[in-house]
């Protein structure tokens, strides 16, 4: 990637960046502090009072800001909002996706704990723009402590008249309901989430119809991630241009990077998008622990393909750059793996996760995730054959794009790319092939790449 | 990839179970609970939307969800047994059988795996004399292997009884935790401060958190066997 000279960050002067999603304000989670220090609910008031800021205008501003969803797919938020049909007699719903179950992701929880009102204000502005009646905040069941924390703060917002009937004396009314999940990764998938809100098993639905047409209880629905919605008041305050000019052009804005694994200083950091991965690892997170070398880097949760250390030079944290490097932004939950990591046993646990969490509706996914785990386990235990590697890749082909939801793709990508990119690790654990293999057939690390990429 | 015994019914139907754990007299809501459930029903266009909350309530009240309790929850919302049972069995956190007094969910997923999650799990297995998935004979502890719990920056970690998180586990920390649980003391909520907060505002930003810690990486642990 380092084609012309020194690698360039797209995050500008990030060392002097001032945080906006999680600004350094003591007790910001308290409504009083949020109102006083951060113009809390002031953006909502402006939206409600300013006639020029009608529904279309807000959607336009969000479109212009270039905001892309922070839940994993990085889809344009303004675009998604514009899919909502004209208001008819049906109620309309918003779902705030706080399921945060993608392994490696722990950033939404920081907003829920430290700045929940920013999320609520974002929900209300989105709700006003999309004429929403009720927003369900779908929080994973394990976040018990954070749910009660948010319930307390939400109650205060209700008492202040920021949520509920005739908000701030306007004719806009909207409810916010906290919905506690109960431990199912798949409920983060938008259609599964809708089923779960309806009180059913979290089985994803076929699309179309898309949620905007037929969502929760068959009514128009929009689903956005916590961090996505938390960006909305900031865009309203600082303007679409400010947002669009923060970070990388194709994927702008402030973003929460959740850094974990073998680094000296893990944690959630707020910086603009477009940070160089090397800056994030070496400078922000204090480098790889124990002075070791980096082996692999996973940019945004277990579903995003890992990339080997020798390919991260010059790559920045925005969709275009990551896609070029053969991976995705995902949730921004980055995992750093040092040189001692056994990629086979790491992948084995990842395949176990997907096997455990498949909802079981589609045969390629239900059976495929089990076979992925079986095969990787066999290799990890030293019982695997060289041909199992190609069997794994073949299995991935059979799963991708053949199921109701994107879970099966998410389960196969880490397998496909870990096997391709760390093939030596896998070959070293397999039983040696009894047949001599010419170098042309098995070209080492990249042999499978040529066959499938 | 599940295995089931053709001879054994998959579900013990509540009305066919000669020896239910809870009698009809026990399966009642208090007035306060009834009021709460009514309020939940109002939050959804269809009453069924409240089933997850009702199941949570029942689990708190009865400890776990045997078929008769699931049936009771379903009836509260005019759902059939199969509908309610379908929901209860879909989600990991609803306990379908009796668990120990404390349930230890040790994360061994993803980040926790490469930061020693299995060391912690195995240490607990030895300490408690049980395997993951089992309950100690005295009914005190159930040990479980969990998927990512959303606290990867403070790996390895665990959740106690669907409640508080315990971060950055070490053997010493596990010993202390087990001792205090034996005394009936649940761990306090811990706020994990952001590294940028440490630099910019001297650490914890919450004055109301019972306990705080910082994100840090544990000494290297080994992977799964
Ligand atoms: C298997 C699967 C799991 C997902 N889990 C989550 C999740 O935990 N949190 C989340 O915000 N989005 C999750 N998503 C993405 C959602 O389907 C949806 O795209 C997102 O919530 C939309 O919000 P955004 O546009 O603001 O990103 C998941 C998607 C899939 C396929
Ligand atoms: S792809 Fe997997 S998780 Fe998604 S609906 Fe099909 S079986 Fe369920
Ligand atoms: S991997 Fe253990 S909390 Fe995320």
């Amino acid at each position: 990637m380092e084609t012309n000279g020194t690698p360039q960050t797209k995050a500008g002067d990030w060392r002097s960046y001032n945080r906006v999603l999680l600004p350094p304000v003591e007790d910001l989670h308290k409504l009083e502090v949020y109102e006083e220090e951060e113009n809390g609910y002031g953006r909502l008031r402006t939206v409600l009072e300013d006639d020029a800021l009608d529904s279309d205008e807000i959607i336009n501003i969000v479109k212009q800001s270039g905001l892309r969803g922070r839940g994993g797919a990085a889809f344009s938020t303004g675009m998604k909002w514009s899919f909502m049909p004209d208001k008819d007699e049906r109620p309309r719903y918003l779902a705030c996706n706080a399921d945060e179950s993608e392994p490696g992701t722990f950033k939404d929880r920081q907003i829920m704990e430290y700045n929940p009102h920013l999320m609520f204000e974002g929900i209300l502005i989105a709700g006003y723009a999309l004429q929403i009646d009720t927003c369900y905040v779908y929080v994973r069941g394990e976040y018990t402590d954070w749910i009660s924390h948010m319930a307390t703060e939400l109650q205060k917002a209700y008492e202040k008249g920021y949520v509920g009937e005739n908000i701030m004396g306007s004719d806009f009314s909207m409810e916010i309901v906290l919905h506690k999940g109960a431990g199912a990764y798949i409920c983060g998938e938008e259609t599964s989430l809708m089923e779960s809100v309806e009180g059913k098993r979290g089985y994803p639905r076929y699309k179309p119809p898309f949620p905007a047409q037929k969502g929760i209880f068959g009514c128009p629905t929009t689903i956005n991630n916590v961090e996505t919605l938390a960006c909305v008041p900031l865009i309203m305050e600082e303007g679409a241009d400010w947002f669009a000019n923060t970070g990388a052009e194709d994927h702008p804005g402030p973003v929460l990077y959740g850094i974990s694994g073998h680094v000296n200083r893990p944690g959630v950091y707020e910086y603009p998008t477009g940070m160089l991965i090397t800056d994030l690892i070496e400078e922000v997170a204090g480098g790889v622990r124990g002075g070791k070398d980096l082996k692999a880097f996973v940019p945004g949760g277990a579903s995003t393909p890992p990339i080997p250390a020798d390919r991260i030079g010059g790559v920045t944290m925005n969709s275009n750059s990551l896609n070029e490097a053969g991976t995705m932004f995902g949730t921004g939950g980055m995992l750093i793996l040092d040189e001692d990591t056994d990629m086979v046993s790491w992948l084995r646990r990842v395949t176990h996760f997907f096997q455990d969490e498949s909802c079981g509706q589609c045969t390629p996914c239900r059976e495929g995730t089990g076979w992925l785990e079986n095969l990787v386990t066999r290799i990890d235990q030293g019982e695997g054959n060289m041909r199992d590697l190609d069997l794994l890749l073949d299995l991935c082909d059979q799963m991708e794009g053949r199921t109701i939801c994107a879970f099966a793709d998410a389960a196969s990508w880490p397998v496909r790319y870990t096997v391709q990119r760390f093939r030596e690790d896998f070959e070293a654990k397999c039983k040696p092939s009894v047949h001599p293999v010419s170098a042309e057939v098995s070209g080492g690390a990249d042999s499978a790449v040529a066959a499938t990429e | 990839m599940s295995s089931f015994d053709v001879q054994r019914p998959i579900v013990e139907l509540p009305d066919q179970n000669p020896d239910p754990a809870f009698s009809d007299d026990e399966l009642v809501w208090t007035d306060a609970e009834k009021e709460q459930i009514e309020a939940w029903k109002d939050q959804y266009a269809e009453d069924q939307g409240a089933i997850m909350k009702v199941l949570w309530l029942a689990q708190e009240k009865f400890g776990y969800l045997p078929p008769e309790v699931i049936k009771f929850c379903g009836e509260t919302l005019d759902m059939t047994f199969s509908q309610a049972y379908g929901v209860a069995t879909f989600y990991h956190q609803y306990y379908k059988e009796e668990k120990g007094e404390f349930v230890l969910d040790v994360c061994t997923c993803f980040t926790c795996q490469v930061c020693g999650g299995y060391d912690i799990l195995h240490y607990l297995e030895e300490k408690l004399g049980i395997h993951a998935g089992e309950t100690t004979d005295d009914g005190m502890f159930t040990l479980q292997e969990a998927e990512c719990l959303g606290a990867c920056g403070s790996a390895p970690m665990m959740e106690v009884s669907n409640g508080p998180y315990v971060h950055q586990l070490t053997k010493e920390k596990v010993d202390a935790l087990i001792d205090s649980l034996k005394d009936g003391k649940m761990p306090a909520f811990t706020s994990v401060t952001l590294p940028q907060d440490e630099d910019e505002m001297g650490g914890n930003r919450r004055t109301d958190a019972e306990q705080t810690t910082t994100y840090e990486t544990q000494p290297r642990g080994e992977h799964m066997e």
Side-chain angles (χ1 to χ4, degrees), chain A residues 104, chain B residues 107 109-112 148-152 157:
Chain B
C107 178
C109 195
F110 209 61
T111 306
C112 289
C148 176
L149 292 163
C152 327
M157 54 76 63

Side-chain angles (χ1 to χ4, degrees), chain B residues 91-125:
Chain B
Y91 301 92
H92 290 301
Q93 284 186 293
Y94 294 132
Y95 301 152
K96 271 70 70 180
E97 65 273 334
E98 206 167 356
K99 301 267 172 173
E101 195 175 333
F102 300 104
V103 181
L104 309 176
D105 275 305
V106 182
C107 178
T108 57
C109 195
F110 209 61
T111 306
C112 289
Q113 178 202 355
V114 297
C115 291
Y118 278 96
D119 291 345
I120 298 299
L121 186 76
H122 296 323
Y123 181 68
L124 270 163
E125 286 182 327

Side-chain angles (χ1 to χ4, degrees), chain A residues 155-167:
Chain A
Q155 184 55 35
K156 286 194 217 158
Y158 261 104
E159 281 161 16
K160 272 271 182 141
Y162 296 156
V163 195
E165 295 286 312
N166 300 98
I167 296 170

Side-chain angles (χ1 to χ4, degrees), chain A residues 69-75 77 80 97 99-102 108 185-186 188-190 223-225 228 405-407:
Chain A
R70 306 289 196 236
F75 190 77
T77 305
K80 185 187 275 187
N97 194 340
D99 191 56
E100 187 153 74
S101 307
E102 180 70 30
D108 293 337
Y185 165 67
I186 192 59
E189 197 279 336
E190 53 188 18
I223 296 110
N224 276 124
N225 171 261
T228 312
C405 84
F407 179 101

Side-chain angles (χ1 to χ4, degrees), chain A residues 149-224:
Chain A
H149 175 72
M150 280 191 288
T152 312
E153 293 305 320
L154 179 59
Q155 184 55 35
K156 286 194 217 158
Y158 261 104
E159 281 161 16
K160 272 271 182 141
Y162 296 156
V163 195
E165 295 286 312
N166 300 98
I167 296 170
M168 295 178 178
S170 69
D171 53 12
F172 172 58
S173 302
M174 181 175 163
E175 303 290 328
I176 298 181
V177 174
L178 299 179
H179 187 100
K180 182 182 181 185
Y185 165 67
I186 192 59
C187 288
E189 197 279 336
E190 53 188 18
T191 58
S192 165
L193 183 152
M194 301 192 305
E195 291 283 306
S196 188
V197 167
E198 291 180 10
K200 300 179 183 149
R201 289 168 79 83
Y203 282 148
R205 300 178 187 167
Y206 278 107
K207 291 187 278 193
F210 290 96
Q213 267 70 48
K214 275 186 116 184
I216 297 172
F217 298 117
C219 301
T221 301
T222 293
I223 296 110
N224 276 124

